[in-house]
């Protein structure tokens, strides 16, 4: 089941059929993991280039490659790569494409993924480009929503926190917008509202959304998608300090509610730890789902699924 794309830089490249196919292969990959892995990508090498910090994305990409019988090489931190010496992204990617079969990259600059994909001789996956997109997170999020709620059509999702800089909510909005009768409640301080690139997409497609500053107005949805206010995107540290814990979800907010709580993680206090024990707290299951989804993407982009 090959995808009709060579590189994945944005969820806007994906149709509903593409997304459903990835979810189906991801479900099959869960069985592969349960059976102890496979040799599907034996001999293939993944380059994991992370010029911004990561725990989940990098390690789950590497684990996914290993679970399919392949291997991974990493470059972590700008200061340990030749980008630090002034090498361009284009040159770096063209060289790494000589060494490996597929590349994933995280970079602080929005648009860096498109630059890399434009020259990459091998399949390229965006693992987060600044405040731009994080398509593989969106795919694992949608896989999680399907598993937790048993549906995607008709989902009502509340997104909370840093909607301006949060690349995960941008990518997820475009992907969920492919499904029928999806509703969004967008909770953020006015300084961090969802950017126009997303709200104009909602408007063009007649997708229902409301914007509010009040968390309580979003608690009757199916999914509560909390996000971190991202220090690394702020020029003014005082503004970050003022906004970082505007929304702190705790178990009392959720009393009597059926809403499934998700978060791309890491969290910095916006979900109190008393939520963790609730059966509706899905964020650690969500992180686990990253393995199967990234296995599916690696296999499909390498034409092996
Ligand atoms: N969700 C996510 O992208 O986590 P990392 O920054 O740890 O990769």
């Amino acid at each position: 089941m090959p995808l009709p794309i060579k590189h994945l830089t944005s969820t806007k490249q994906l149709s509903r059929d593409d997304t459903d196919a990835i979810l189906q292969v991801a479900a099959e990959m869960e069985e592969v993991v349960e059976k102890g892995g496979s040799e599907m990508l034996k001999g293939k090498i993944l380059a994991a280039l992370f010029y911004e910090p990561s725990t989940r994305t990098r390690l789950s990409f590497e684990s996914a490659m290993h679970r399919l019988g392949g291997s991974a090489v990493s470059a972590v931190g700008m200061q340990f790569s030749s980008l630090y010496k002034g090498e361009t992204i284009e040159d770096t990617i063209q060289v790494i494409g000589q060494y490996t079969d597929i590349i994933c990259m995280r970079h602080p600059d929005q648009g860096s993924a498109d630059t890399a994909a434009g020259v990459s001789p091998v399949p390229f996956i965006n693992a987060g480009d600044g405040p731009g997109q994080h398509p593989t997170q969106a795919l694992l999020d949608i896989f999680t929503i399907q598993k937790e709620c048993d549906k995607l059509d008709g989902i009502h999702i509340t997104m909370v926190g840093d909607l301006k800089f949060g690349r995960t909510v941008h990518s997820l909005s475009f992907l969920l917008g492919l499904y029928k009768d999806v509703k969004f409640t967008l909770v953020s301080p006015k300084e961090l509202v969802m950017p126009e690139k997303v709200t104009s997409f909602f408007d063009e497609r007649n997708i229902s959304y409301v914007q509010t500053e009040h968390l309580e107005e979003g608690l009757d949805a199916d999914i509560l998608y909390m996000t971190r206010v991202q220090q690394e995107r702020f020029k003014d540290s005082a503004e970050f300090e003022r906004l970082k814990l505007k929304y702190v979800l705790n178990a009392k907010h959720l009393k009597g509610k059926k809403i499934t709580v998700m978060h791309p993680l890491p969290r910095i206090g916006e979900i109190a730890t008393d939520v963790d024990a609730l059966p509706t707290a899905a964020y650690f299951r969500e992180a686990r789902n990253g393995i199967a989804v990234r296995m599916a993407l690696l296999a499909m982009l390498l034409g092996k699924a």
Side-chain angles (χ1 to χ4, degrees):
M1 206 181 299
L3 284 173
I5 53 172
K6 178 173 178 188
H7 311 294
L8 178 62
T9 60
S10 161
T11 49
K12 286 190 109 175
Q13 293 170 268
L14 299 171
S15 66
R16 178 171 176 159
D17 283 350
D18 299 333
T19 308
D20 287 340
I22 294 166
L23 300 185
Q24 189 186 324
V25 177
E28 290 163 16
M29 290 299 180
E30 286 191 317
E31 290 170 29
V32 170
V33 172
E34 265 175 42
K35 288 181 184 151
S38 122
E39 295 291 291
M40 192 183 284
L41 297 185
K42 188 173 164 50
K44 300 288 183 192
I45 302 176
L46 165 74
L49 311 180
F50 280 77
Y51 303 121
E52 244 191 6
S54 168
T55 297
R56 280 146 288 274
T57 311
R58 182 168 74 84
L59 294 180
S60 62
F61 258 118
E62 293 183 7
S63 300
M65 198 64 185
H66 288 298
R67 287 187 186 278
L68 289 173
S71 54
V73 292
S74 289
V76 178
M78 193 81 81
Q79 70 275 33
F80 300 115
S81 83
S82 286
L83 290 179
Y84 192 66
K85 293 187 262 180
E87 185 171 50
T88 61
I89 291 176
E90 288 93 329
D91 282 2
T92 299
I93 293 295
Q94 288 183 91
V95 170
I96 290 169
Q98 312 301 317
Y99 302 156
T100 61
D101 302 288
I102 187 164
I103 299 171
C104 65
M105 182 182 83
R106 174 170 293 182
H107 192 285
D109 296 343
Q110 183 166 351
S112 53
D114 288 323
T115 303
V119 297
S120 183
V122 297
F124 174 89
I125 304 173
N126 179 9
D129 63 328
Q133 282 246 353
H134 193 350
T136 65
Q137 178 70 42
L139 285 162
L140 76 88
D141 288 337
I142 211 166
F143 187 55
T144 303
I145 294 169
Q146 190 180 50
K147 285 173 68 169
E148 298 286 331
C149 300
D150 212 18
K151 65 174 185 178
L152 289 167
D153 289 319
I155 277 289
H156 179 188
I157 183 167
T158 296
M159 295 174 161
V160 182
D162 183 353
L163 307 187
K164 179 180 178 184
F165 297 117
R167 58 194 173 205
T168 67
V169 289
H170 305 163
S171 293
L172 182 56
S173 298
F174 295 132
L175 209 53
L176 272 177
L178 298 172
Y179 291 82
K180 275 190 256 160
D181 303 324
V182 173
K183 274 172 61 180
F184 292 80
T185 298
L186 306 174
V187 181
S188 72
K190 59 185 181 315
E191 296 86 346
L192 297 175
V193 294
M194 189 67 97
E196 200 267 341
K197 69 178 177 184
V198 179
T199 53
S200 62
F201 167 82
F202 291 158
D203 291 334
E204 279 158 24
R205 293 181 180 233
N206 283 325
I207 294 168
S208 162
Y209 68 99
V210 292
Q211 293 177 289
T212 172
E213 287 192 54
H214 305 291
L215 175 62
E216 288 71 14
E217 290 177 19
L219 295 178
D220 288 319
D222 301 299
I223 299 287
L224 183 60
Y225 192 95
M226 299 294 295
T227 66
R228 167 178 72 98
V229 176
Q230 301 175 71
Q231 184 168 17
E232 62 272 34
R233 311 282 176 231
F234 279 77
K235 290 193 179 84
D236 178 355
S237 58
E239 182 163 69
F240 167 72
E241 288 300 327
R242 188 168 57 78
L243 297 175
K244 70 178 181 186
L245 290 178
K246 179 160 168 77
Y247 305 109
V248 178
L249 181 75
N250 61 45
K252 276 194 202 142
H253 287 110
L254 300 170
K255 206 158 185 226
K257 307 278 182 193
K258 284 201 182 133
I259 195 162
T260 297
V261 183
M262 294 175 60
H263 192 310
L265 302 176
R267 62 177 160 183
I268 55 165
E270 59 279 353
I271 301 180
T273 51
D274 66 358
V275 177
D276 296 359
L278 301 178
T280 48
Y283 29 93
F284 295 122
R285 294 191 290 277
E286 179 184 355
R288 180 178 175 81
N289 289 335
I291 298 281
V293 168
R294 291 183 172 117
M295 286 169 76
L297 279 170
L298 291 169
M300 292 171 92
L301 288 174
L302 285 166
K304 296 285 182 183

